Amino acid sequence: MGIPAQQKLLGKKILITAGGTREKIDPVRYITNNSSGKMGIALANASAKMGADVTLVSTFAVEGNFKNIITDTAKDMEKVVKANLFEQDCVIMAAAVSDYRVKNYSEQKIKKGENEGLTLELVKNPDILMEISAMTTPHPNPLPKGEGDCDLCKPIIVGFCAESENLLENAKTKIKNKGCDYIVANDISRKDIGFNSDENEVYIIDKNLNINHIEKDSKENIAFKILENIFE
Ligand code: C5P
């Protein structure tokens, strides 16, 4: 292991999402994606080693020194993330959330029909990252003049950005559109890093569009470096 754990996050609460959401078609079928969840799990392990109180919201069970809440669909994950949002110091959305879900879930297993084709209608899922970035909560003590919501009461919100082309351009557009505090961008066109790989290479972009390059390394070491960067 590269970076010492240092207990730098003692007293911090961190919620991390991981894995690909599963959008149900019928009781036995669903739409999902190729996400292994490895980066999110590495972040959960690294945060715990650095002393944080960690909640991992994942699409499959994960053992570790953290609380694990298992979710299924994007709507399910949205509910859990929003319900736990304002007790966190930081929320990291590393999950690959499906952009769409099936409009009409079939209670019964869909039978093979006479037709050659089958059409599924999809509807847009909520963008969890965008929605939580826009959420505010009243300050516990009245603000000067007693009005307004408090940005200080919000956790630091971090999103991921997986792109196969124009990585930094798209990541800069994404941080503006989503309204989060940081975007961690990685290039999924490369076979040696990213999706399903044990290694990654990322760029961390902040709201002022400052870019910090983290060179290729194990996902565990990348996770430590991301956390060091966010909490420096
Ligand atoms: O829009 P795109 O999928 O590229 O954005 C990726 C980031 O947004 C990730 O942090 C992902 O967890 C989050 N996301 C989300 N809800 C969605 C789609 C993506 O929170 N419906």
Side-chain angles (χ1 to χ4, degrees):
M1 197 194 73
I3 295 175
Q6 291 173 341
Q7 299 286 293
K8 207 174 166 179
L9 300 185
L10 212 58
K12 302 275 185 210
K13 288 194 77 163
I14 304 190
L15 183 147
I16 297 157
T17 64
T21 59
R22 300 180 354 153
E23 307 301 326
K24 292 178 202 148
I25 299 170
D26 68 16
V28 292
R29 303 181 179 102
Y30 54 83
I31 298 171
T32 189
N33 58 63
N34 226 357
S35 170
S36 64
K38 284 179 182 170
M39 194 63 241
I41 295 167
L43 281 160
N45 283 323
S47 311
K49 281 185 188 159
M50 290 168 85
D53 174 351
V54 183
T55 303
L56 178 68
V57 180
S58 55
T59 53
F60 49 86
V62 184
E63 300 248 325
N65 199 9
F66 40 72
K67 180 176 170 194
N68 184 211
I69 304 176
I70 301 167
T71 58
D72 196 1
T73 62
K75 295 279 273 179
D76 199 12
M77 185 174 276
E78 177 198 17
K79 210 184 299 167
V80 172
V81 172
K82 285 184 176 171
N84 290 280
L85 183 66
F86 289 114
E87 9 169 307
Q88 306 300 324
D89 294 289
C90 178
V91 172
I92 307 179
M93 288 292 306
V97 183
S98 175
D99 290 326
Y100 292 91
R101 67 179 179 278
V102 177
K103 187 176 179 192
N104 297 309
Y105 170 75
S106 170
E107 298 286 346
Q108 305 302 329
K109 185 179 168 200
I110 299 171
K111 295 242 183 294
K112 184 168 30 174
E114 296 294 304
N115 296 338
E116 284 303 311
L118 172 72
T119 304
L120 289 175
E121 191 176 348
L122 304 181
V123 291
K124 233 185 188 149
N125 266 331
D127 189 317
I128 306 170
L129 179 60
M130 193 185 282
E131 291 193 6
I132 60 171
S133 298
M135 282 169 74
T136 52
T137 187
H139 195 279
N141 305 309
L143 289 171
K145 293 189 189 145
E147 57 186 50
D149 287 336
C150 177
D151 239 11
L152 295 174
C153 297
K154 289 189 71 170
I156 300 167
I157 297 180
V158 184
F160 269 72
C161 172
E163 298 287 340
S164 57
E165 55 183 356
N166 303 328
L167 180 64
L168 293 178
E169 280 311 298
N170 288 332
K172 285 180 189 169
T173 307
K174 197 152 287 181
I175 193 168
K176 284 189 201 149
N177 290 345
K178 302 258 187 180
C180 53
D181 299 294
Y182 294 90
I183 279 279
V184 181
N186 69 299
D187 181 347
I188 52 165
S189 69
R190 284 177 48 184
K191 293 274 173 284
D192 58 328
I193 55 167
F195 260 42
N196 272 317
S197 164
D198 289 330
E199 296 195 305
N200 212 350
E201 175 178 336
V202 302
Y203 295 84
I204 304 178
I205 299 162
D206 69 19
K207 272 194 156 163
N208 298 320
L209 305 185
N210 297 312
I211 300 173
N212 196 336
H213 181 206
I214 301 181
E215 284 178 17
K216 186 174 161 182
D217 206 336
S218 67
K219 284 188 173 169
E220 191 186 11
N221 282 342
I222 296 273
F224 280 115
K225 288 177 187 169
I226 291 172
L227 292 161
E228 296 241 318
N229 195 279
I230 291 168
F231 287 98
E232 77 184 354

